Amino acid sequence: IVVGLLLVIFALPAVSMDDPGPAVISGLASGFVASGILLWLFRYDPRTLTAFIATSAVLGIVVDGMHRASASGWLYAALAGTVVIALAVAVHRWISRPLALGEVATSAVGTVD
């Protein structure tokens, strides 16, 4: 599902083009590369997902602040980056919390008592 979703997202901009062939091929190649990196990285430790998403978001926010080239643009970038980092830390702490013994037993599917 993840690979298919990434392929669609990367190839979607080609729909509005006059000659979509090269753009579709480029989008599909980018989608395969992105999905390969994601699946390879998250195979080892799924907790890295929050840092990966936060890094992508903060980089996008900084680029947006650079395009605005004003004090208000940089203020927005600083505030939005702080919120993204705070949310990433909160989600990472929630994912990393240990499960209580009762939660493990009741959340397992098909357990025999």
Side-chain angles (χ1 to χ4, degrees):
I1 293 174
V2 172
V3 174
L5 184 61
L6 285 172
L7 292 177
V8 169
I9 289 172
F10 278 97
L12 197 59
V15 173
S16 64
M17 299 182 74
D18 293 333
D19 186 20
V24 169
I25 292 170
S26 173
L28 290 176
S30 299
F32 276 123
V33 169
S35 61
I37 290 171
L38 286 176
L39 294 176
W40 173 75
L41 181 66
F42 301 142
R43 173 176 71 156
Y44 297 109
D45 190 4
R47 293 174 296 175
T48 58
L49 177 66
T50 54
F52 183 80
I53 292 173
T55 302
S56 300
V58 168
L59 288 176
I61 290 168
V62 168
V63 168
D64 186 44
M66 291 173 69
H67 284 277
R68 292 182 186 195
S70 66
S72 64
W74 285 112
L75 178 63
Y76 167 77
L79 291 175
T82 303
V83 169
V84 167
I85 291 170
L87 286 172
V89 168
V91 170
H92 182 74
R93 289 184 65 187
W94 183 74
I95 290 173
S96 299
R97 78 190 194 311
L99 293 175
L101 186 56
E103 289 182 52
V104 173
T106 59
S107 66
V109 176
T111 58
V112 177
D113 293 330

